[in-house]
Amino acid sequence: MVSHSELRKLFCSADAVCFDVDSTVIREEGIDELAKFCGVEDAVSEMTRRAMGGAVPFKAALTERLALIQPSREQVQRLIAEHPPHLTPGIRELVSRLQERNVQVFLISGGFRSIVEHVASKLNIPSTNVFANRLKFYFNGEYAGFDEMQPTAESGGKGKVIKLLKEKFHFKKIVMIGDGATDMEACPPADVFIGFGGNVIRQQVKDNSEWYITDFVELLGELEE
């Protein structure tokens, strides 16, 4: 067990901070919003709940949910235009404070790149710092599956991305922040995990996080001290 003051020191001296996106950086679960938009909300949100609880392998859950939703390119574009995701209060300030301190900020998501890139642009995070799943479409715009080669399509994918970042950029300390079991599993290789319950509290994460917050103001406060 690392003491809380040690964790705080690690957070304040991190050279990279990685955020989960759905229910962390934004208030919604992107896949559930897409399901709602495509008229299959109930069946899909039940599957998301099971997947987030760690009951179903991630890729299987993703395949199953997307097979139900069958989102076309046009539906994804309309979702972003008509129902853009809502940023979680405090995230904009936290990201910009980290960037002022020359900390690299990454978004690592089991959600969809088109939605996550939209969120990244709102936070001035370059798209090269986005790791997420790519939807595939046929030439007529119909759903054609997703890119199964992306590390984020697998269980344990977020940890693979963090390992990759350490190898590529030689980061000494990486912090992972997120609401779900897949975020917590990314530490290690992340050096610190901070559980976030500001949008939804997942009991398993709350119970097993050494540091659990429900408001990004707490982290902003750490950086100001």
Side-chain angles (χ1 to χ4, degrees):
M1 280 289 284
V2 185
S3 77
H4 197 65
S5 65
E6 286 285 304
L7 286 173
R8 287 154 75 161
K9 257 190 224 134
L10 279 166
F11 172 67
C12 292
S13 61
D15 33 20
V17 175
C18 302
F19 289 92
D20 169 49
V21 177
D22 295 323
S23 297
T24 299
V25 167
I26 61 173
R27 309 204 67 151
E28 305 87 354
E29 281 290 324
I31 196 162
D32 290 350
E33 293 303 302
L34 191 55
K36 192 188 296 182
F37 194 74
C38 298
V40 288
E41 178 185 10
D42 292 348
V44 170
S45 50
E46 172 55 25
M47 285 181 190
T48 299
R49 207 180 51 70
R50 288 189 1 241
M52 286 310 291
V56 187
F58 186 80
K59 189 185 272 186
L62 189 59
T63 306
E64 208 180 328
R65 288 177 293 177
L66 283 169
L68 262 179
I69 303 170
Q70 294 277 324
S72 67
R73 179 185 279 127
E74 187 208 358
Q75 283 172 317
V76 175
Q77 288 166 347
R78 276 180 48 216
L79 172 71
I80 295 168
E82 295 170 24
H83 302 279
H86 298 90
L87 292 177
T88 301
I91 188 66
R92 201 189 287 271
E93 296 78 2
L94 179 57
V95 168
S96 110
R97 189 78 192 92
L98 287 165
Q99 289 168 333
E100 281 166 17
R101 293 166 67 103
N102 294 319
V103 176
Q104 285 283 333
V105 178
F106 295 88
L107 299 181
I108 306 180
S109 174
F112 307 122
R113 191 171 183 99
S114 41
I115 297 173
V116 177
E117 280 187 344
H118 173 81
V119 173
S121 71
K122 297 263 177 267
L123 297 169
N124 296 317
I125 294 171
S127 60
T128 47
N129 286 21
V130 169
F131 293 85
N133 289 315
R134 289 177 188 274
L135 292 172
K136 297 199 294 198
F137 303 100
Y138 291 110
F139 68 94
N140 64 356
E142 282 176 15
Y143 174 67
F146 62 95
D147 180 356
E148 300 196 16
M149 301 311 290
Q150 295 294 321
T152 47
E154 299 276 359
S155 293
K158 290 177 182 176
K160 285 186 190 131
V161 171
I162 289 174
K163 187 168 175 289
L164 187 94
L165 292 176
K166 282 192 159 180
E167 286 165 5
K168 187 173 174 184
F169 298 108
H170 308 293
F171 292 133
K172 299 277 180 289
K173 292 175 199 155
I174 295 190
V175 175
M176 177 74 206
I177 301 173
D179 67 287
T182 58
D183 307 312
M184 191 163 64
E185 286 161 6
C187 178
D191 301 278
V192 177
F193 170 68
I194 302 173
F196 181 72
N199 292 311
V200 59
I201 290 179
R202 305 195 195 277
Q203 206 55 46
Q204 177 197 358
V205 178
K206 187 178 184 187
D207 294 346
N208 295 293
S209 298
E210 290 182 357
W211 189 356
Y212 194 80
I213 62 167
T214 54
D215 196 323
F216 286 129
V217 167
E218 188 179 327
L219 296 182
L220 262 172
E222 296 294 343
L223 296 174
E224 301 307 330
E225 280 173 17

